Amino acid sequence: MSQATAMRKRHRFNGRMTRIVLLISFLFLFGRLIYSSIGAWHHHQEKVQQTQQTTPTGSLNTPTSLR
């Protein structure tokens, strides 16, 4: 009987440890998502600035035949 009781206690501990590991993994995953989205937004802003500096403002919507 003492072995069965020990197995039950160990089983609860394993379930608790699994939840802790999953929570930590989720936090790392969520942190990486936030970090990459900030980097992607920064990269997007740089691209927008580069395209605004290289193209004149009037020639973006005008057809080439009317120039």
Side-chain angles (χ1 to χ4, degrees), residues 55-67:
T55 58
T57 56
S59 67
L60 287 176
N61 293 328
T62 56
T64 54
S65 62
L66 295 177
R67 283 192 213 166

Side-chain angles (χ1 to χ4, degrees), residues 12 31 36 41-42 53-54 59 64:
R12 288 182 191 163
S36 64
W41 180 77
H42 182 67
Q53 290 174 355
T54 57
S59 67
T64 54

Side-chain angles (χ1 to χ4, degrees), residues 4-16:
T5 308
M7 288 294 284
R8 283 188 202 150
K9 287 183 181 178
R10 197 169 82 184
H11 180 68
R12 288 182 191 163
F13 182 71
N14 284 341
R16 191 174 186 187

Side-chain angles (χ1 to χ4, degrees), residues 2-47:
S2 63
Q3 283 183 340
T5 308
M7 288 294 284
R8 283 188 202 150
K9 287 183 181 178
R10 197 169 82 184
H11 180 68
R12 288 182 191 163
F13 182 71
N14 284 341
R16 191 174 186 187
M17 284 300 291
T18 303
R19 286 182 182 173
I20 291 170
V21 168
L22 286 174
L23 178 65
I24 291 171
S25 299
F26 176 74
L27 290 175
F28 274 110
L29 183 66
F30 187 69
R32 288 180 62 187
L33 175 70
I34 296 298
Y35 180 77
S36 64
S37 63
I38 290 171
W41 180 77
H42 182 67
H43 179 71
H44 175 69
Q45 292 300 318
E46 286 180 352
K47 287 287 189 181

